[in-house]
Amino acid sequence: MGALAASGLAEIVAVAEPDDACAAEALTLAPDARRVDGLDALLTADIDAVVIATPSAAHADQSIAALNAGKAVFCQKPLGRTGPEVAEVVAAARRADRLLGVDLSYRHTAAMAAIRPLLDAGSLGHVFGVDVTFHNAWGPDKPWFYDPALSGGGCVVDLGVHLIDLALWSLGWPEVAGVESRLYAKGAPLADPARQVEDYATATLDLAGGTVVRLACSWGLQAGREAVIAAEFFGTEGGASLRNVNGSFYDLRAERHHHIRAEPLAEPPDDWGGRAAVDWLTRLAQGARFDDDARHLVTVARVIDRIYGR
């Protein structure tokens, strides 16, 4: 919200926030806004667009309600708990012809801005391997994350969504031909996904064209640092990597690899946290309507479903 307010591209009109302390904090960022009671009241305000930052179980229904009311939507990830939920939101955006954005923020880092052109230009040759990793040594602090009915799953739907999106987006959305996965909870194979969520997961995605993506993500891993975040690309003519620095959730470094030599491409600091929202707002201010690239939100959600075996 701070990034949107600072952009100068929009007037923040109203805030629907049930927690008094959070509402007060929001209104310090937008002192001319008014607090309203719930989404219905928000949608009857004189607004063009809605930002949705609620628990995951509400994302799809709230996004659809806003789109059906003719509002553009920017939603926290995941857009839905399952592939069918995400598909319903994208279909609603298409029907309403309204711009739909999701906070897939790692696309907008300076590190990926340095790596993506190398991939687009074929500078790394044939990229045959991609390793993507996100270990959060703490895990979420809200109980609903651990209820599969509310969250849709554990670390895969929470963190893996970033990794799958980043890998497939970086490579130009190749077809995912095969998916294999292993899910764990408290150190044991996940026995009952209807009652428990995974806190450690590995998956292999076989892509059309012969590329393999290896994914690993976790909550509460004894990783020796707060976070391990990486996207590593291995090609016949070189490699490239995005890696976090000193366990930081925010400081990311990009390098191009020439066998045993690393060439720096991007270094922190990089204030990237609000860029996905500001990118959506910029396009909205320019008159953008439904963007067919939103179909890839369904692609990612369906891969997550395959990882869960559903």
Side-chain angles (χ1 to χ4, degrees):
M1 187 173 176
L4 294 173
S7 73
L9 295 172
E11 176 190 357
I12 299 174
V13 173
V15 175
E17 168 56 61
D19 181 84
D20 290 340
C22 290
E25 185 175 355
L27 293 174
T28 64
L29 296 172
D32 294 329
R34 67 184 185 276
R35 185 183 181 186
V36 299
D37 184 17
L39 181 65
D40 289 344
L42 196 63
L43 295 180
T44 59
D46 185 18
I47 60 172
D48 301 303
V50 176
V51 175
I52 295 173
T54 56
S56 297
H59 288 179
D61 286 347
Q62 290 179 340
S63 294
I64 291 169
L67 291 162
N68 287 346
K71 316 302 181 185
V73 167
F74 183 83
C75 187
Q76 251 297 347
K77 56 80 192 169
L79 182 58
R81 292 166 293 182
T82 65
E85 279 194 352
V86 173
E88 288 178 8
V89 180
V90 173
R94 190 186 300 274
R95 287 193 305 270
D97 193 22
R98 290 295 182 269
L99 188 64
L100 173 64
V102 176
D103 193 18
L104 296 165
S105 48
Y106 289 88
R107 293 187 189 184
H108 299 273
T109 61
M112 278 314 303
I115 292 172
R116 179 67 189 267
L118 300 178
L119 299 168
D120 290 345
S123 300
L124 306 183
H126 168 55
V127 176
F128 55 85
V130 180
D131 287 356
V132 285
T133 307
F134 200 145
H135 298 306
N136 179 341
W138 300 113
D141 61 356
K142 296 178 176 63
W144 65 263
F145 276 94
Y146 301 93
D147 181 345
L150 298 178
S151 61
C155 59
V156 172
V157 75
D158 179 41
L159 305 177
V161 62
H162 281 302
L163 303 178
I164 297 162
D165 175 78
L166 196 61
L168 298 182
W169 169 79
S170 297
L171 298 174
W173 298 106
E175 177 189 355
V176 180
V179 176
E180 294 182 358
S181 63
R182 298 189 71 178
L183 308 175
Y184 291 79
K186 306 301 182 185
L190 184 67
D192 188 355
R195 294 176 177 270
Q196 190 177 33
V197 298
E198 79 289 351
D199 55 22
Y200 179 81
T202 63
T204 301
L205 314 183
D206 292 313
L207 308 184
T211 301
V212 61
V213 177
R214 300 188 304 172
L215 177 150
C217 61
S218 67
W219 294 337
L221 192 71
Q222 298 192 47
R225 64 203 73 185
E226 290 193 340
V228 179
I229 304 168
E232 301 168 295
F233 301 87
F234 306 107
T236 54
E237 303 299 326
S241 65
L242 171 156
R243 297 179 180 130
N244 68 322
V245 179
N246 296 327
S248 172
F249 284 97
Y250 308 106
D251 291 338
L252 304 173
R253 171 182 294 134
E255 296 178 335
R256 181 173 179 175
H257 302 161
H258 306 270
H259 194 46
I260 63 171
R261 182 170 62 86
E263 171 192 347
L265 297 175
E267 294 283 345
D270 176 30
D271 186 17
W272 53 270
R275 277 194 199 133
V278 173
D279 174 76
W280 164 82
L281 182 58
T282 301
R283 290 184 289 143
L284 188 63
Q286 293 169 347
R289 311 283 281 198
F290 178 75
D291 183 347
D292 191 54
D293 279 351
R295 72 187 188 279
H296 295 308
L297 298 168
V298 183
T299 300
V300 172
R302 286 176 174 163
V303 171
I304 291 173
D305 280 351
R306 292 166 74 181
I307 289 174
Y308 284 129
R310 62 194 183 201

